[in-house]
Amino acid sequence: MDSAQRARAQAFVDLHRAGCLLLPNAWDAGSARLLESVGFPAVATTSAGIAFSFGRPDHDFFTEHGEHGRLDRPTMLRRLHEITDAVRIPVSADLEEGYGPDVQTVATTFALAIDAGAAGGNLEDFTGDRAAPLFEQSHAVDRVRAARAAVAASGEPFVLVGRTDALLVDASLDEAIRRGNAYLAAGADCVFVPGAADATTITTLVRALDGPLNVVMGLSEGALTMAELAELGVRRVTVGGSIARLLYRHLLDAARELAEHGTFTYAATQLAQSTLNEHFTDRP
């Protein structure tokens, strides 16, 4: 990590010291630069958006996907590096389950992500296996410890997020809380609980967790605003693959109009090339 990236990483750590941080998710250099251009102080990557950009599925039970399923670690890290090179703001990496179950693989993944310029990263406890969708808790804790050790060995500023997918696989809220607190004790700086989107669940998590809570919005028609989330005590908000999925919705609608009707009305709401050029042009 060079001095400029190190300064960005420290700025990212500092952004987590107070308040409620909105961290939108990018999937390539262009999406990251556009988010930067409207004033966001940092961005995260989305494994979903990156996978879709390669024509691959994301998350789900990836052990069933076969050889054309989830992206491999080198491909994901190359894209991460493209994004960190394209912007002047910190980038947090969606590192999924660390690209392998064992602790050494997790440690290597985080070391490589830091080398690629990441200022933070998520580690989730989802196995991708329908029969046992979450890593056994003690092993999941060891994996968080391995990620923390890799961060410490790097000597770089870094925000480590422990993610539990308990709510996504229909486990209890109590289990999500137990796992979240265990990950914090193992060295996570923040806990991410996807599936928590209503005020009651979020309030329970904020009160029960021993550290900051990250929630993801935009995956459904959740009505809570940033002001309301901050009032509830949420410290970090991401949007996952929702922006990428919105754009793919427009792509699919345009493709169907062309294929089925031979008309071009989709173009009425496109951005002008000059507008995009303005967002992508470097300024002093």
Side-chain angles (χ1 to χ4, degrees):
M1 187 176 283
D2 62 29
S3 59
Q5 288 176 325
R6 187 170 299 111
R8 289 196 288 271
Q10 184 59 57
F12 191 59
V13 171
D14 294 342
L15 284 170
H16 289 75
R17 298 196 188 283
C20 185
L21 173 64
L22 176 56
L23 195 62
N25 299 76
W27 58 94
D28 61 10
S31 58
R33 290 197 64 185
L34 195 147
L35 291 168
E36 178 186 30
S37 76
V38 301
F40 285 103
V43 296
T45 66
T46 160
S47 65
I50 294 173
F52 300 153
S53 76
F54 283 95
R56 299 292 188 89
D58 172 70
H59 202 268
D60 200 12
F61 295 100
F62 55 74
T63 58
E64 302 169 6
H65 288 167
E67 64 176 323
H68 298 297
R70 71 185 306 220
L71 289 183
D72 58 27
R73 183 171 68 184
T75 303
M76 189 66 77
L77 289 172
R78 280 195 299 272
R79 178 59 60 84
L80 170 63
H81 203 171
E82 290 170 6
I83 292 170
T84 62
D85 277 352
V87 295
R88 300 187 182 95
I89 56 176
V91 177
S92 186
D94 180 350
L95 297 173
E96 302 188 77
E97 90 309 350
Y99 298 94
D102 62 278
V103 295
Q104 185 54 57
T105 298
V106 169
T108 300
T109 295
F110 274 77
L112 291 171
I114 292 168
D115 287 344
N122 300 353
L123 178 66
E124 60 195 51
D125 55 13
F126 180 67
T127 66
D129 183 350
R130 194 181 301 273
L134 299 178
F135 288 110
E136 193 274 325
Q137 183 173 314
S138 63
H139 182 54
V141 167
D142 287 342
R143 287 158 42 81
V144 174
R145 287 198 185 103
R148 183 81 263 170
V151 172
S154 76
E156 304 292 354
F158 193 88
V159 177
L160 173 60
V161 179
R163 166 175 159 166
T164 177
D165 282 20
L167 298 184
L168 296 185
V169 300
D170 297 324
S172 68
L173 182 57
D174 284 344
E175 180 165 358
I177 292 167
R178 284 194 302 272
R179 285 174 173 267
N181 280 330
Y183 302 162
L184 288 164
D189 299 301
C190 182
V191 175
F192 179 18
V193 187
D198 63 276
T200 299
T201 301
I202 290 171
T203 298
T204 301
L205 286 167
V206 168
R207 290 175 177 170
L209 290 171
D210 298 328
L213 173 66
N214 182 132
V215 298
V216 58
M217 304 303 289
L219 303 189
S220 62
E221 296 181 2
L224 294 172
T225 65
M226 276 298 295
E228 290 167 335
L229 290 166
E231 182 68 22
L232 291 173
V234 173
R235 295 289 300 282
R236 190 169 108 157
V237 179
T238 48
V239 299
S242 61
I243 301 175
R245 284 192 293 273
L246 173 65
L247 294 188
Y248 276 100
R249 163 68 183 273
H250 288 306
L251 173 60
L252 185 58
D253 286 347
R256 284 175 171 163
E257 179 185 352
L258 289 168
E260 296 171 9
H261 305 287
T263 57
F264 309 94
T265 63
Y266 71 87
T269 58
Q270 68 181 297
L271 284 173
Q273 181 152 322
S274 59
T275 300
L276 286 171
N277 285 344
E278 183 178 352
H279 282 283
F280 294 148
T281 298
D282 283 326
R283 285 184 168 77

